[in-house]
Amino acid sequence: MSEASNQLALALTGNDKASFENYWAEGSAELVKVIKASAEIKEPVSVDKPRVIYFYGNSGVGKSHLIFAALRHAKERNAKTSYLSLSDAYVSPDMLAVVDVHHLVCIDDVDAWAGSKEKERALFTMFEQVKHAGGQLLISATRPPDAAEFVIPDLVSRLSSGLIYPLHELDDEQRFEALKMRAKARGLSISDDSVRYLMSRSSRDTGELFELLDKIDHASLVEQRRVTIPFLQNLLNRD
């Protein structure tokens, strides 16, 4: 198994709860639709029309969730994929040479490599290979291509050539609804008052909130207790 394939396996194992069904898509319905469609394509697309989907936003807005959801969706349909997170220190430019450029290539945190000519050249080369092989690119970043401080203009041009979507932080009401949806998807019974209490005592980072919800679910199962405000008080005070 190649290093890129191994990282894909680890990503799916470590994020096996990510799906389109448990992603709060309000305001991002079009993006979810096009990502879903890209994950369902099993054969190379026209070499004249390479598909590039680039979406960006701050930490905690669900960028990695969408990538893992795409990987899951593709896997369930026996579509081939490759995955690399460029914010992982052990990912090297050489690893881009072993991705399957004929199918869906998922690159998380692409702007983590901005400013390094060696790494940017590797990205540019991979983009050209994907283009000519008829593959697709699904790319996440914190900023749009022209603001990500890449130093190779042609790479900025390539990254800007497809569909570009911003992802925004959820407001309090959206976070409330997203938490309720995630709890329901897990089969976790939690009252509205408990959700509001949890939000008032936690980070605004949606990703961290969902991780905390996983912890609450686990503790509730282990202790055989309902999720109430006293239960949450006790659990949060342990940390």
Side-chain angles (χ1 to χ4, degrees):
M1 180 182 288
S2 69
E3 287 181 283
S5 297
N6 186 55
Q7 190 180 21
L8 170 58
L10 290 172
L12 289 175
T13 299
N15 296 274
D16 58 357
K17 299 179 184 66
S19 70
F20 292 119
E21 287 69 29
N22 61 20
Y23 178 77
W24 183 255
E26 185 173 321
S28 304
E30 182 181 344
L31 172 59
V32 171
K33 182 179 179 180
V34 297
I35 292 177
K36 221 174 180 180
S38 72
E40 293 173 355
I41 298 174
K42 296 183 180 180
E43 301 298 329
V45 297
S46 167
V47 294
D48 297 324
K49 296 181 180 180
R51 296 193 52 150
V52 182
I53 303 169
Y54 184 111
F55 55 100
Y56 64 92
N58 293 331
S59 174
V61 297
K63 301 188 299 292
S64 294
H65 184 115
L66 283 174
I67 284 187
F68 298 136
L71 294 170
R72 170 187 286 278
H73 199 68
K75 182 181 179 182
E76 290 172 348
R77 286 153 184 76
N78 297 315
K80 296 181 180 178
T81 60
S82 298
Y83 166 85
L84 288 171
S85 174
L86 303 193
S87 60
D88 288 346
Y90 66 87
V91 176
S92 67
D94 291 342
M95 293 177 69
L96 269 63
V98 300
V99 301
D100 185 349
V101 295
H102 297 85
H103 299 281
L104 178 65
V105 179
C106 298
I107 303 295
D108 213 354
D109 301 320
V110 71
D111 49 344
W113 281 12
S116 167
K117 285 189 176 180
E118 177 193 7
K119 292 178 177 179
E120 289 189 27
R121 279 194 292 267
L123 278 169
F124 180 83
T125 298
M126 184 200 67
F127 185 101
E128 291 297 286
Q129 290 172 340
V130 170
K131 173 183 176 181
H132 293 296
Q136 305 168 87
L137 277 167
L138 179 60
I139 299 172
S140 83
T142 57
R143 294 162 292 180
D146 59 357
E149 300 182 0
F150 289 108
V151 294
I152 299 179
D154 284 344
L155 176 60
V156 176
S157 175
R158 297 300 189 275
L159 293 175
S160 303
S161 66
L163 302 172
I164 301 177
Y165 295 90
L167 280 177
H168 302 292
E169 293 182 6
L170 302 182
D171 61 28
D172 286 344
E173 186 58 31
Q174 290 171 329
R175 288 166 64 236
F176 174 78
E177 294 297 337
L179 274 171
K180 284 177 60 178
M181 180 195 70
R182 181 65 69 93
K184 183 178 180 180
R186 295 186 63 90
L188 178 63
S189 178
I190 182 170
S191 69
D192 289 358
D193 286 343
S194 294
V195 172
R196 292 190 179 94
Y197 175 83
L198 180 61
M199 289 174 56
S200 71
R201 300 297 191 277
S202 308
S203 165
R204 293 186 58 84
D205 186 307
T206 308
E208 291 183 15
L209 268 173
F210 288 158
E211 288 180 8
L212 182 56
L213 194 64
D214 291 343
K215 179 180 178 180
I216 292 167
D217 188 21
H218 177 72
S220 174
L221 288 171
V222 170
E223 300 177 27
Q224 293 293 297
R225 291 182 59 188
R226 292 173 54 247
V227 180
T228 61
I229 291 177
F231 172 79
L232 291 174
Q233 288 174 329
N234 181 269
L235 183 64
L236 295 176
N237 288 335
R238 296 175 197 172
D239 297 330

